Amino acid sequence: MAATIVVPSDITIVEEKMSIGKRRLGLFESTGLLGMLPMLHIHYSKMDKGDMRSVLSKKYDPEDTRNATDICRCRQQAISRSVVSQNFMWGTAWGMTGLCWWSFRRYNYQSRLVALPFIFYGGTFVGRALGDVITGRNAEFARDRFLASLPAKVYFTGSD
């Protein structure tokens, strides 16, 4: 079996080339990254939170009009919307769970424990939809969503 080498993808190289410095992450971006679960990379087809943090921490020249910089900025904004919407997912899930706990206050603890996991799980779906609407992810173009989903690392495929 041939050895596999993980290398930066093309978009990561372009981002590194176009960046002019470091950008500070906002509060909601930081907490959204904290709310993301760890990822096990098998095919390197998605971005983990470390890759998202590196994309969000790059700064681009606002007066640069090249197409590559525009693509990098669009990707950064799309990833930012995705990360901020994570806050709404967890907040809605915990809020719905708290309201369920409060509404079952006159019942014994067994009835609460039966309902809470299902309400929490349903709250993640409601929160995901709510976060997409509030952050504007539901109105973004397919191009932006595609740019945000591009992986930061890929396996090296050498020519045979």
Side-chain angles (χ1 to χ4, degrees):
M1 182 173 162
T4 54
I5 301 172
V6 178
V7 295
S9 66
D10 296 339
I11 189 73
T12 306
I13 294 169
V14 170
E15 285 173 346
E16 198 63 41
K17 185 178 176 185
M18 295 295 149
S19 69
I20 61 168
K22 292 191 71 93
R23 171 184 168 268
R24 221 181 122 151
L25 278 91
L27 175 67
F28 292 122
E29 289 175 343
S30 298
T31 56
L33 287 170
L34 283 174
M36 289 188 174
L37 298 174
M39 184 176 298
L40 174 66
H41 287 290
I42 298 173
H43 299 291
Y44 282 97
S45 60
K46 295 181 182 177
M47 292 180 60
D48 60 356
K49 63 182 178 179
D51 297 334
M52 288 185 188
R53 184 179 304 276
S54 69
V55 170
L56 290 173
S57 65
K58 287 182 174 64
K59 185 177 184 179
Y60 302 107
D61 187 11
E63 297 177 4
D64 192 359
T65 59
R66 289 183 282 186
N67 290 336
T69 308
D70 183 43
I71 288 172
C72 292
R73 264 192 240 115
C74 287
R75 175 175 158 90
Q76 188 179 43
Q77 290 167 356
I79 291 173
S80 176
R81 284 190 295 266
S82 171
V83 166
V84 170
S85 70
Q86 287 284 319
N87 296 318
F88 292 100
M89 181 189 76
W90 291 115
T92 303
W94 284 111
M96 286 177 63
T97 305
L99 289 173
C100 178
W101 183 269
W102 181 77
S103 66
F104 278 39
R105 68 189 178 277
R106 303 211 184 270
Y107 297 96
N108 57 5
Y109 75 93
Q110 291 96 347
S111 60
R112 291 180 190 174
L113 293 179
V114 167
L116 289 182
F118 300 106
I119 297 296
F120 183 82
Y121 186 66
T124 60
F125 288 100
V126 173
R128 213 173 278 144
L130 185 68
D132 285 354
V133 170
I134 291 174
T135 59
R137 273 191 87 208
N138 64 331
E140 74 183 355
F141 292 108
R143 170 187 178 243
D144 295 342
R145 182 103 23 139
F146 172 74
L147 285 173
S149 69
L150 288 174
K153 298 174 194 144
V154 292
Y155 285 121
F156 177 69
T157 55
S159 59
D160 292 334

